[in-house]
Amino acid sequence: MFTKTETTALSDSLEKVTASISGSSKQKKNIAYRQKWLTKMEFLHSISAQTNAVILLHDTSVNRFLYMSDRAKILGNYNPEDFTSETGMDFSFSNTHPGQRSAALLIQLKIISYGMDHPSACLNNSVANMTFLYKRKGGGYFQYLQKAMVVETDAAGYPLLYLRYGFDISHLVRPSVGLIINTPDETLIWAYNINKKSLDQVNLLSTQEKKILGLLAQGKQSKEIADMLFVSSHTIDTHRRNLLKKTNCIDSTALITFAKMTGLI
């Protein structure tokens, strides 16, 4: 079960992170932006069905989901009200794999903190990609990719509303947890350190690995890539194995798909 200590830690931390948003600006704008997005619910509902994605709207000013749609039943047969109720955030975290809840909490806090630290860059410009194990109603955990983008900010540019898309990527990635944030200028990656129980920023891919990944995405074979980069085919195959290991992808096709989904290429 999701412990009260973890729930309280998340709520307290989010309150601290959003403390710089003035109460008056939140109250004046809350009604306007919420009403605007309520009118888009049918549109979002159709997106959920067409893209096989879970759609969530997360209001950071109250740390609550305003909307949830799962037409494709990726999460099973959960009632949307389980997510949009006052305890919906706690309910959602309770379905995270017990061994990854600390990491998931840190990832959520990192996403909000990044938005607060980079207000001018976040609105519709940056995408956070978090991966973790999530419990499907009816039994079993699956590898979940949730993408989050700021779609509403306050007058200071701080994030008020995140649009989140969730996908089942169990066919692409082995069980793992992490965070990738893409902006127009950079890609930032964090990995969870289970020993320190911390979220550490890492340089996941070397410059050479990024080149190779890009060429693989173009349909190039190892021999072609080796000739282009003036190295041996054996060297390219070693890089390919390392790419699979670093990303936890099951094979090269999955690697390319995952890299495109998360902005690594």
Side-chain angles (χ1 to χ4, degrees):
M1 290 294 294
F2 192 71
T3 68
K4 185 175 181 180
T5 300
E6 288 175 318
T7 304
T8 302
L10 174 64
S11 299
D12 290 349
S13 297
L14 285 176
E15 182 64 28
K16 292 177 182 178
V17 169
T18 58
S20 58
I21 304 176
S22 69
S24 60
S25 68
K26 282 194 289 185
Q27 291 184 14
K28 289 180 180 179
K29 195 170 182 179
N30 271 350
I31 296 176
Y33 77 74
R34 286 176 181 168
Q35 288 180 337
K36 181 176 80 171
W37 281 93
L38 283 173
T39 64
K40 299 181 180 182
M41 283 189 176
E42 282 303 316
F43 172 66
L44 294 177
H45 199 52
S46 66
I47 289 178
S48 176
Q50 295 169 13
T51 60
N52 288 328
V54 181
I55 307 293
L56 292 158
L57 285 175
H58 176 205
D59 188 333
T60 62
S61 70
V62 290
N63 192 28
R64 182 173 175 177
F65 292 121
L66 301 181
Y67 176 77
M68 182 271 194
S69 178
D70 185 15
R71 286 279 296 276
K73 303 300 180 186
I74 292 172
L75 304 183
N77 290 303
Y78 287 120
N79 187 331
E81 292 181 359
D82 291 336
F83 293 84
T84 57
S85 69
E86 289 186 5
T87 58
M89 185 65 71
D90 295 345
F91 173 80
S92 181
F93 271 101
S94 73
N95 293 315
T96 303
H97 191 283
Q100 295 184 356
R101 283 179 191 155
S102 295
L105 287 166
L106 290 172
I107 287 172
Q108 295 289 354
L109 292 170
K110 175 60 69 176
I111 291 170
I112 304 297
S113 298
Y114 184 87
M116 297 289 290
D117 293 339
H118 304 83
S120 62
C122 280
L123 182 61
N124 298 319
N125 281 326
S126 66
V127 179
N129 305 270
M130 63 204 94
T131 56
F132 51 96
L133 287 171
Y134 201 82
K135 187 176 182 179
R136 182 180 282 112
K137 187 171 184 179
Y141 289 89
F142 69 97
Q143 187 66 20
Y144 192 36
L145 167 64
Q146 191 178 93
K147 303 170 72 69
M149 173 183 284
V150 178
V151 292
E152 288 288 343
T153 62
D154 73 344
Y158 295 135
L160 285 177
L161 189 67
Y162 281 87
L163 177 61
R164 297 174 181 264
Y165 291 76
F167 302 90
D168 182 351
I169 58 168
S170 302
H171 60 297
L172 303 175
V173 179
R174 295 183 178 85
S176 55
V177 58
L179 171 64
I180 302 171
I181 293 182
N182 308 118
T183 75
D185 301 318
E186 59 184 351
T187 296
L188 304 172
I189 303 170
W190 287 266
Y192 182 66
N193 187 317
I194 192 170
N195 294 319
K196 296 192 299 181
K197 293 186 177 181
S198 62
L199 195 64
D200 300 335
Q201 190 169 346
V202 297
N203 292 318
L204 183 65
L205 306 181
S206 68
T207 301
Q208 189 79 328
E209 287 170 338
K210 291 177 183 177
K211 288 181 182 178
I212 293 169
L213 182 56
L215 292 170
L216 288 171
Q218 294 174 26
K220 305 293 185 183
Q221 301 301 311
S222 292
K223 180 64 168 61
E224 295 177 278
I225 297 173
D227 292 341
M228 294 174 69
L229 300 181
F230 304 104
V231 296
S232 70
S233 295
H234 175 74
T235 297
I236 299 301
D237 288 337
T238 299
H239 281 303
R240 293 179 68 161
R241 288 193 294 271
N242 288 337
L243 283 166
L244 292 177
K245 183 177 180 181
K246 288 182 175 182
T247 59
N248 293 298
C249 289
I250 61 174
D251 57 32
S252 294
T253 301
L255 169 66
I256 294 168
T257 302
F258 177 73
K260 288 180 177 178
M261 291 182 74
T262 57
L264 290 176
I265 54 174

